[in-house]
């Protein structure tokens, strides 16, 4: 796993301090953006309650649970900036699970864009080029492990 610079870690920790206390509202901003960027992703959240359109989906309890889950993974990464490798097995497994539910790896990058959008909305002038890059660096470490797990599951399926 790659490493983050000391400056990256400081920028990420400082910016997450307040955001992390309000995970669900920030997660909703992020996923609303995600569906604007790629509306086809809605169909992957076809829970029992059937979320066919954005407002229905955003208010379904299972969907809100997923929003919380994503935010908790980000929270875990922020808490382990010095030892991100300890999350490797968890992230590999998470990638496998997403392969199994039909999520494409390209969609992880769209979530990354939506994450940056949420940071920009929440941080205003605090959203600097250095901060954006620090978050991108961290998110790409998370996604790289998820993508490796995804690929392993895909190989297993095609055998
Ligand atoms: C477009 C991208 C994504 C889609 C469509 C998607 C969809 C899903 C679906 C359908 C499930 C299974 C049902 C559920 O638990 O709600 C799931 C589980 C989960 N997702 Fe995602 N997901 C995406 C991205 C992410 C990302 C980027 C993260 C974390 C950084 C994440 C974290 C989780 C977690 C923690 C679970 C629960 C896994 C478990 O049951 O152990 N998801 N996701």
């Amino acid at each position: 796993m790659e490493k983050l610079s000391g400056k990256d870690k400081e920028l990420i920790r400082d910016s997450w301090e307040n955001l992390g206390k309000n995970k669900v509202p920030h997660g909703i901003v992020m996923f609303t953006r995600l569906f604007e960027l790629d509306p086809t992703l809605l169909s992957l959240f076809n829970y029992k309650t059937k979320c066919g359109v954005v407002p229905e989906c955003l208010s379904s309890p299972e969907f809100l649970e997923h929003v919380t889950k994503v935010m908790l993974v980000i929270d875990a990464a922020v808490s382990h900036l010095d030892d991100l490798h300890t999350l490797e097995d968890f992230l590999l497994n998470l990638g496998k699970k997403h392969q199994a539910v039909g999520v494409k790896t390209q969609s992880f990058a769209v979530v990354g864009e939506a994450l940056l959008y949420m940071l920009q909305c929440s941080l205003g002038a605090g959203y600097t080029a250095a901060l954006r890059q620090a978050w991108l660096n961290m998110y790409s470490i998370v996604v790289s492990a998820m993508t490796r797990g995804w690929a392993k599951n895909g190989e297993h399926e095609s055998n």
Side-chain angles (χ1 to χ4, degrees), residues 80-140:
H80 287 85
L81 293 178
D82 291 325
D83 54 2
L84 274 173
H85 63 276
T86 59
L87 299 180
E88 171 95 4
D89 287 349
F90 169 78
L91 294 172
L92 286 172
N93 200 32
L94 192 57
K96 279 187 191 175
K97 287 186 175 164
H98 283 81
Q99 195 275 341
V101 293
V103 181
K104 300 280 173 244
T105 53
Q106 301 92 293
S107 301
F108 296 148
V110 192
V111 177
E113 257 188 76
L115 168 67
L116 293 177
Y117 173 84
M118 180 275 282
L119 291 169
Q120 185 174 16
C121 293
S122 315
L123 301 170
Y127 183 80
T128 59
L131 178 124
R132 177 182 186 279
Q133 192 57 51
W135 274 94
L136 263 181
N137 292 345
M138 185 193 88
Y139 186 72
S140 68

Side-chain angles (χ1 to χ4, degrees), residues 2-159:
E2 295 150 62
K3 287 198 174 160
L4 297 164
S5 73
K7 187 67 194 167
D8 282 351
K9 292 180 198 174
E10 189 188 320
L11 287 165
I12 294 168
R13 283 190 187 114
D14 288 354
S15 53
W16 189 250
E17 204 180 321
N18 283 323
L19 293 185
K21 288 180 192 146
N22 277 306
K23 294 186 184 62
V24 174
H26 289 111
I28 290 176
V29 171
M30 189 169 142
F31 272 82
T32 305
R33 181 66 181 154
L34 181 73
F35 294 138
E36 275 169 18
L37 292 170
D38 186 354
T40 66
L41 291 172
L42 259 185
S43 62
L44 292 168
F45 292 101
N46 227 334
Y47 298 114
K48 283 175 271 135
T49 47
K50 248 212 172 309
C51 70
V53 288
V54 176
E56 268 176 31
C57 190
L58 290 177
S59 58
S60 106
E62 294 95 334
F63 177 77
L64 290 174
E65 243 176 65
H66 183 266
V67 169
T68 307
K69 287 174 190 172
V70 173
M71 295 304 266
L72 286 173
V73 174
I74 296 172
D75 197 56
V78 176
S79 310
H80 287 85
L81 293 178
D82 291 325
D83 54 2
L84 274 173
H85 63 276
T86 59
L87 299 180
E88 171 95 4
D89 287 349
F90 169 78
L91 294 172
L92 286 172
N93 200 32
L94 192 57
K96 279 187 191 175
K97 287 186 175 164
H98 283 81
Q99 195 275 341
V101 293
V103 181
K104 300 280 173 244
T105 53
Q106 301 92 293
S107 301
F108 296 148
V110 192
V111 177
E113 257 188 76
L115 168 67
L116 293 177
Y117 173 84
M118 180 275 282
L119 291 169
Q120 185 174 16
C121 293
S122 315
L123 301 170
Y127 183 80
T128 59
L131 178 124
R132 177 182 186 279
Q133 192 57 51
W135 274 94
L136 263 181
N137 292 345
M138 185 193 88
Y139 186 72
S140 68
I141 295 174
V142 168
V143 164
S144 140
M146 285 177 72
T147 302
R148 274 179 276 124
W150 188 102
K152 262 197 176 161
N153 213 40
E155 270 168 29
H156 175 75
E157 267 189 3
S158 58
N159 285 339

